[in-house]
Amino acid sequence: MNWNLLNQNALSKLSETLIGYLPDVAGALLLIGVFWLALIIGRRLLNGALRRANVPDTMQRLMTRFLKYGIIVVAVLTIAGQLRINITSLVAGLGIAGLAVSFAAQDTISNIISGITLVIDRPFGEGDWVQIGNTHALVEKLRLRTTVLTTFDGETLVMPNKTISQEKVVNYTLTPKARVRVSVGIAYKEDAREARRVMLSTVEGDDRLAEEPEPVVVVTGLGDSSVNLELRFWAREATQKFPLTWEYTEKCKRALDKADIEIPFPHRQLFLEQSEGVSELSKASRGS
Protein backbone atom coordinates (compact mmCIF):
# COMPACT_ATOMS: atom_id res chain seq x y z
CA MET A 1 0.00 0.00 0.00
CA ASN A 2 1.37 3.39 -0.96
CA TRP A 3 1.05 5.46 2.26
CA ASN A 4 2.51 8.53 0.65
CA LEU A 5 -0.22 8.51 -1.95
CA LEU A 6 -2.90 8.18 0.76
CA ASN A 7 -1.41 11.03 2.77
CA GLN A 8 -1.29 13.23 -0.28
CA ASN A 9 -4.94 12.51 -1.06
CA ALA A 10 -5.95 13.28 2.55
CA LEU A 11 -4.02 16.53 2.59
CA SER A 12 -5.49 17.44 -0.76
CA LYS A 13 -9.05 16.85 0.49
CA LEU A 14 -8.34 18.75 3.72
CA SER A 15 -6.93 21.70 1.84
CA GLU A 16 -9.91 21.71 -0.50
CA THR A 17 -12.26 21.62 2.48
CA LEU A 18 -10.44 24.49 4.18
CA ILE A 19 -10.34 26.52 0.99
CA GLY A 20 -14.04 25.92 0.46
CA TYR A 21 -14.68 26.92 4.08
CA LEU A 22 -12.77 30.20 3.86
CA PRO A 23 -15.69 32.18 2.36
CA ASP A 24 -17.88 31.05 5.26
CA VAL A 25 -15.24 32.11 7.80
CA ALA A 26 -14.81 35.44 6.05
CA GLY A 27 -18.58 35.92 6.08
CA ALA A 28 -18.70 35.06 9.79
CA LEU A 29 -15.98 37.60 10.57
CA LEU A 30 -17.86 40.19 8.55
CA LEU A 31 -21.05 39.42 10.48
CA ILE A 32 -19.20 39.80 13.78
CA GLY A 33 -18.12 43.26 12.72
CA VAL A 34 -21.63 44.16 11.56
CA PHE A 35 -23.26 43.02 14.81
CA TRP A 36 -20.58 44.76 16.89
CA LEU A 37 -21.26 47.99 15.03
CA ALA A 38 -25.01 47.47 15.43
CA LEU A 39 -24.55 47.02 19.18
CA ILE A 40 -22.58 50.25 19.52
CA ILE A 41 -25.00 52.28 17.40
CA GLY A 42 -28.06 50.68 19.02
CA ARG A 43 -26.85 51.45 22.54
CA ARG A 44 -26.12 55.07 21.66
CA LEU A 45 -29.50 55.57 20.04
CA LEU A 46 -31.35 53.87 22.90
CA ASN A 47 -29.47 55.81 25.60
CA GLY A 48 -30.14 59.07 23.79
CA ALA A 49 -33.85 58.33 23.47
CA LEU A 50 -34.14 57.27 27.12
CA ARG A 51 -32.31 60.38 28.33
CA ARG A 52 -34.59 62.62 26.29
CA ALA A 53 -37.57 60.82 27.86
CA ASN A 54 -36.09 61.41 31.37
CA VAL A 55 -36.08 57.69 32.12
CA PRO A 56 -34.31 56.89 35.44
CA ASP A 57 -30.67 55.80 35.16
CA THR A 58 -31.42 52.37 36.64
CA MET A 59 -33.99 51.65 33.96
CA GLN A 60 -31.64 52.97 31.26
CA ARG A 61 -28.98 50.46 32.28
CA LEU A 62 -31.47 47.59 32.41
CA MET A 63 -32.96 48.33 28.99
CA THR A 64 -29.48 48.76 27.48
CA ARG A 65 -28.55 45.37 28.90
CA PHE A 66 -31.63 43.79 27.33
CA LEU A 67 -30.66 45.28 23.97
CA LYS A 68 -27.12 43.92 24.32
CA TYR A 69 -28.27 40.40 25.15
CA GLY A 70 -30.83 40.44 22.33
CA ILE A 71 -28.23 41.44 19.73
CA ILE A 72 -25.80 38.81 21.05
CA VAL A 73 -28.39 36.02 20.75
CA VAL A 74 -29.30 37.04 17.19
CA ALA A 75 -25.60 37.34 16.29
CA VAL A 76 -24.71 33.88 17.63
CA LEU A 77 -27.54 32.21 15.72
CA THR A 78 -26.77 34.10 12.50
CA ILE A 79 -23.02 33.42 12.65
CA ALA A 80 -23.62 29.74 13.47
CA GLY A 81 -25.78 29.44 10.37
CA GLN A 82 -23.08 31.15 8.30
CA LEU A 83 -20.53 28.56 9.55
CA ARG A 84 -22.88 25.73 8.48
CA ILE A 85 -23.56 24.68 12.04
CA ASN A 86 -26.91 22.95 12.45
CA ILE A 87 -28.78 25.31 14.75
CA THR A 88 -32.15 23.58 14.48
CA SER A 89 -31.53 21.39 17.52
CA LEU A 90 -30.02 24.35 19.38
CA VAL A 91 -33.06 26.52 18.71
CA ALA A 92 -35.39 23.68 19.71
CA GLY A 93 -33.48 23.19 22.94
CA LEU A 94 -33.60 26.88 23.70
CA GLY A 95 -37.31 26.89 23.00
CA ILE A 96 -37.96 24.02 25.42
CA ALA A 97 -35.76 25.63 28.07
CA GLY A 98 -37.46 28.99 27.58
CA LEU A 99 -40.88 27.36 27.93
CA ALA A 100 -39.84 25.70 31.19
CA VAL A 101 -38.44 28.94 32.56
CA SER A 102 -41.55 30.89 31.56
CA PHE A 103 -43.79 28.47 33.47
CA ALA A 104 -41.54 28.59 36.53
CA ALA A 105 -41.24 32.37 36.58
CA GLN A 106 -44.59 33.62 35.33
CA ASP A 107 -44.96 36.23 38.10
CA THR A 108 -41.41 37.50 37.65
CA ILE A 109 -41.84 37.83 33.90
CA SER A 110 -45.20 39.58 34.38
CA ASN A 111 -43.61 42.03 36.81
CA ILE A 112 -40.74 42.74 34.39
CA ILE A 113 -43.13 43.34 31.50
CA SER A 114 -45.24 45.60 33.74
CA GLY A 115 -42.08 47.47 34.77
CA ILE A 116 -41.19 48.10 31.13
CA THR A 117 -44.76 49.29 30.52
CA LEU A 118 -44.51 51.71 33.46
CA VAL A 119 -41.27 53.09 32.05
CA ILE A 120 -42.88 53.63 28.65
CA ASP A 121 -46.19 55.05 29.91
CA ARG A 122 -44.59 57.03 32.80
CA PRO A 123 -47.69 57.43 35.03
CA PHE A 124 -45.30 58.61 37.76
CA GLY A 125 -41.63 59.21 38.44
CA GLU A 126 -39.29 59.07 41.40
CA GLY A 127 -40.27 61.67 44.02
CA ASP A 128 -43.94 61.85 42.97
CA TRP A 129 -46.81 61.64 45.45
CA VAL A 130 -49.20 58.98 44.18
CA GLN A 131 -52.28 57.05 45.20
CA ILE A 132 -52.15 53.40 44.13
CA GLY A 133 -55.43 51.76 45.02
CA ASN A 134 -56.02 52.94 48.59
CA THR A 135 -52.31 53.54 49.30
CA HIS A 136 -50.91 57.07 49.43
CA ALA A 137 -47.12 57.23 49.22
CA LEU A 138 -44.02 58.83 47.71
CA VAL A 139 -42.23 56.99 44.90
CA GLU A 140 -38.64 56.32 45.97
CA LYS A 141 -37.35 53.96 43.26
CA LEU A 142 -38.80 52.56 40.05
CA ARG A 143 -37.18 49.20 39.37
CA LEU A 144 -37.71 46.63 36.66
CA ARG A 145 -39.64 44.16 38.82
CA THR A 146 -40.82 46.28 41.76
CA THR A 147 -41.45 49.87 42.82
CA VAL A 148 -40.25 51.14 46.21
CA LEU A 149 -42.69 53.47 47.99
CA THR A 150 -42.62 55.38 51.27
CA THR A 151 -46.02 55.76 52.93
CA PHE A 152 -47.08 58.80 54.96
CA ASP A 153 -46.40 56.73 58.10
CA GLY A 154 -42.74 56.39 57.07
CA GLU A 155 -43.09 52.73 56.08
CA THR A 156 -41.12 51.39 53.12
CA LEU A 157 -43.42 49.52 50.78
CA VAL A 158 -42.06 47.35 47.95
CA MET A 159 -44.91 46.79 45.50
CA PRO A 160 -44.76 44.42 42.50
CA ASN A 161 -45.12 46.25 39.20
CA LYS A 162 -47.81 43.81 38.10
CA THR A 163 -49.97 44.92 41.02
CA ILE A 164 -49.42 48.59 40.18
CA SER A 165 -50.36 48.06 36.54
CA GLN A 166 -53.71 46.57 37.64
CA GLU A 167 -54.59 49.35 40.10
CA LYS A 168 -55.94 52.85 39.62
CA VAL A 169 -53.03 55.29 39.87
CA VAL A 170 -53.56 58.95 40.81
CA ASN A 171 -50.48 61.18 40.51
CA TYR A 172 -51.02 64.22 42.74
CA THR A 173 -47.64 65.68 41.80
CA LEU A 174 -48.73 66.00 38.17
CA THR A 175 -52.13 67.41 39.19
CA PRO A 176 -52.10 71.24 39.16
CA LYS A 177 -54.84 71.49 41.80
CA ALA A 178 -57.14 69.24 43.80
CA ARG A 179 -60.68 69.49 45.14
CA VAL A 180 -61.09 69.32 48.91
CA ARG A 181 -64.32 68.02 50.45
CA VAL A 182 -65.19 68.59 54.12
CA SER A 183 -68.33 66.76 55.30
CA VAL A 184 -70.31 68.00 58.33
CA GLY A 185 -73.76 67.02 59.62
CA ILE A 186 -76.12 69.48 61.37
CA ALA A 187 -79.29 68.82 63.34
CA TYR A 188 -82.63 68.90 61.53
CA LYS A 189 -83.81 71.83 63.65
CA GLU A 190 -80.94 74.03 62.38
CA ASP A 191 -81.10 76.34 59.36
CA ALA A 192 -79.02 74.91 56.51
CA ARG A 193 -78.60 78.37 54.96
CA GLU A 194 -77.08 79.76 58.15
CA ALA A 195 -74.79 76.74 58.46
CA ARG A 196 -73.70 77.32 54.86
CA ARG A 197 -72.82 80.95 55.63
CA VAL A 198 -70.82 79.94 58.70
CA MET A 199 -68.88 77.24 56.87
CA LEU A 200 -68.07 79.52 53.93
CA SER A 201 -66.77 82.18 56.31
CA THR A 202 -63.96 79.81 57.36
CA VAL A 203 -62.31 79.88 53.91
CA GLU A 204 -62.18 83.66 53.51
CA GLY A 205 -58.72 85.12 52.95
CA ASP A 206 -56.89 81.79 52.57
CA ASP A 207 -54.37 82.20 49.73
CA ARG A 208 -53.86 78.43 49.53
CA LEU A 209 -57.34 78.10 48.01
CA ALA A 210 -58.15 78.79 44.35
CA GLU A 211 -60.58 81.62 43.68
CA GLU A 212 -62.12 79.84 40.70
CA PRO A 213 -64.16 77.73 40.99
CA GLU A 214 -65.26 79.49 44.16
CA PRO A 215 -65.92 77.52 47.38
CA VAL A 216 -69.45 76.17 47.88
CA VAL A 217 -71.44 74.32 50.53
CA VAL A 218 -74.00 71.79 49.28
CA VAL A 219 -76.49 69.45 50.93
CA THR A 220 -75.36 65.93 50.08
CA GLY A 221 -78.04 63.95 51.87
CA LEU A 222 -80.52 63.54 54.70
CA GLY A 223 -79.18 61.14 57.28
CA ASP A 224 -80.88 59.35 60.16
CA SER A 225 -80.09 62.14 62.61
CA SER A 226 -78.51 64.95 60.56
CA VAL A 227 -78.64 67.04 57.43
CA ASN A 228 -75.35 66.28 55.69
CA LEU A 229 -73.46 69.29 54.30
CA GLU A 230 -70.22 69.36 52.36
CA LEU A 231 -67.79 72.25 52.00
CA ARG A 232 -66.06 72.06 48.62
CA PHE A 233 -63.13 74.13 47.40
CA TRP A 234 -60.01 73.76 45.25
CA ALA A 235 -56.49 73.73 46.67
CA ARG A 236 -53.89 75.51 44.54
CA GLU A 237 -51.43 72.67 45.20
CA ALA A 238 -52.59 69.07 45.06
CA THR A 239 -50.15 68.11 47.81
CA GLN A 240 -52.26 70.21 50.23
CA LYS A 241 -55.37 68.09 49.70
CA PHE A 242 -55.23 66.10 52.94
CA PRO A 243 -53.70 68.77 55.24
CA LEU A 244 -56.44 71.20 54.18
CA THR A 245 -59.13 68.54 54.66
CA TRP A 246 -58.04 67.93 58.24
CA GLU A 247 -57.58 71.64 58.97
CA TYR A 248 -60.99 72.72 57.67
CA THR A 249 -62.80 69.86 59.35
CA GLU A 250 -61.67 71.33 62.66
CA LYS A 251 -62.36 74.92 61.51
CA CYS A 252 -65.93 74.06 60.52
CA LYS A 253 -66.53 72.29 63.81
CA ARG A 254 -65.32 75.28 65.83
CA ALA A 255 -67.23 77.79 63.68
CA LEU A 256 -70.51 75.87 63.98
CA ASP A 257 -70.05 75.51 67.74
CA LYS A 258 -69.45 79.26 68.01
CA ALA A 259 -72.63 79.94 66.03
CA ASP A 260 -74.61 77.56 68.31
CA ILE A 261 -75.43 75.27 65.39
CA GLU A 262 -75.77 71.73 66.69
CA ILE A 263 -73.71 68.91 65.19
CA PRO A 264 -75.71 65.87 66.31
CA PHE A 265 -74.45 62.44 67.14
CA PRO A 266 -76.46 59.24 66.60
CA HIS A 267 -78.87 58.52 69.46
CA ARG A 268 -81.87 56.28 70.11
CA GLN A 269 -85.10 56.77 72.02
CA LEU A 270 -86.48 53.80 74.00
CA PHE A 271 -90.23 53.44 74.61
CA LEU A 272 -91.62 50.86 77.09
CA GLU A 273 -95.10 49.49 76.60
CA GLN A 274 -97.32 49.50 79.65
CA SER A 275 -97.90 45.85 80.61
CA GLU A 276 -98.62 43.82 83.71
CA GLY A 277 -95.00 42.75 84.04
CA VAL A 278 -93.73 46.31 83.74
CA SER A 279 -96.27 47.46 86.35
CA GLU A 280 -95.12 44.80 88.82
CA LEU A 281 -91.49 45.80 88.32
CA SER A 282 -92.39 49.47 88.84
CA LYS A 283 -94.25 48.68 92.09
CA ALA A 284 -91.36 46.59 93.33
CA SER A 285 -88.85 49.33 92.62
CA ARG A 286 -91.00 51.94 94.45
CA GLY A 287 -91.47 49.60 97.39
CA SER A 288 -87.74 49.09 97.78
Side-chain angles (χ1 to χ4, degrees):
M1 181 178 293
N2 192 342
W3 293 103
N4 291 330
L5 182 59
L6 290 175
N7 289 334
Q8 289 178 1
N9 290 333
L11 290 175
S12 177
K13 290 181 180 180
L14 179 60
S15 61
E16 289 177 1
T17 302
L18 292 176
I19 292 172
Y21 204 60
L22 284 177
D24 295 330
V25 175
L29 294 175
L30 180 61
L31 286 173
I32 291 174
V34 170
F35 280 109
W36 180 259
L37 184 62
L39 177 60
I40 295 175
I41 295 175
R43 291 176 65 175
R44 289 181 179 178
L45 292 176
L46 179 61
N47 287 332
L50 294 177
R51 280 195 296 268
R52 287 193 296 272
N54 295 323
V55 175
D57 293 339
T58 303
M59 299 304 298
Q60 290 185 30
R61 290 192 294 269
L62 288 172
M63 295 185 72
T64 302
R65 192 175 304 169
F66 272 120
L67 175 65
K68 175 183 175 181
Y69 292 152
I71 292 177
I72 289 175
V73 170
V74 174
V76 169
L77 295 177
T78 305
I79 293 170
Q82 175 65 27
L83 295 176
R84 304 179 188 178
I85 299 174
N86 186 3
I87 62 173
T88 304
S89 57
L90 177 61
V91 172
L94 290 175
I96 295 174
L99 185 62
V101 171
S102 64
F103 277 115
Q106 288 184 6
D107 290 340
T108 300
I109 294 173
S110 297
N111 286 321
I112 291 174
I113 294 174
S114 299
I116 295 174
T117 303
L118 291 176
V119 171
I120 296 174
D121 292 344
R122 291 185 60 78
F124 52 78
E126 295 181 358
D128 287 356
W129 169 33
V130 298
Q131 178 185 350
I132 302 174
N134 295 323
T135 301
H136 290 264
L138 293 174
V139 180
E140 297 292 341
K141 291 181 182 180
L142 177 58
R143 302 190 296 209
L144 193 60
R145 194 179 64 85
T146 59
T147 296
V148 181
L149 308 169
T150 299
T151 66
F152 289 168
D153 294 331
E155 301 170 337
T156 299
L157 179 63
V158 181
M159 185 174 292
N161 288 332
K162 179 181 177 182
T163 302
I164 296 176
S165 65
Q166 295 174 346
E167 291 283 358
K168 180 184 73 173
V169 178
V170 180
N171 191 329
Y172 289 101
T173 301
L174 298 180
T175 304
K177 60 182 180 179
R179 171 175 277 184
V180 178
R181 303 170 184 263
V182 178
S183 298
V184 179
I186 62 173
Y188 274 93
K189 66 182 181 64
E190 304 293 350
D191 187 352
R193 291 170 296 182
E194 177 63 15
R196 178 182 290 110
R197 183 192 66 79
V198 171
M199 294 174 67
L200 286 175
S201 67
T202 62
V203 303
E204 295 177 355
D206 194 335
D207 295 334
R208 297 170 297 174
L209 278 56
E211 295 180 359
E212 295 292 337
E214 63 181 12
V216 295
V217 173
V218 297
V219 177
T220 58
L222 303 176
D224 293 337
S225 56
S226 65
V227 178
N228 300 324
L229 305 179
E230 189 172 85
L231 170 63
R232 299 177 179 179
F233 57 84
W234 290 85
R236 294 184 184 274
E237 297 182 9
T239 55
Q240 291 293 312
K241 177 180 177 69
F242 290 103
L244 287 174
T245 302
W246 304 325
E247 177 182 337
Y248 274 93
T249 298
E250 180 179 352
K251 281 186 176 182
C252 288
K253 167 67 168 59
R254 293 170 61 183
L256 291 172
D257 287 345
K258 187 176 181 180
D260 292 328
I261 297 177
E262 181 184 354
I263 300 177
F265 56 89
H267 60 277
R268 295 181 182 276
Q269 290 180 321
L270 182 63
F271 298 92
L272 294 178
E273 294 184 359
Q274 191 67 26
S275 63
E276 183 177 350
V278 172
S279 299
E280 293 297 329
L281 288 174
S282 179
K283 292 177 182 178
S285 61
R286 287 197 299 267
S288 61

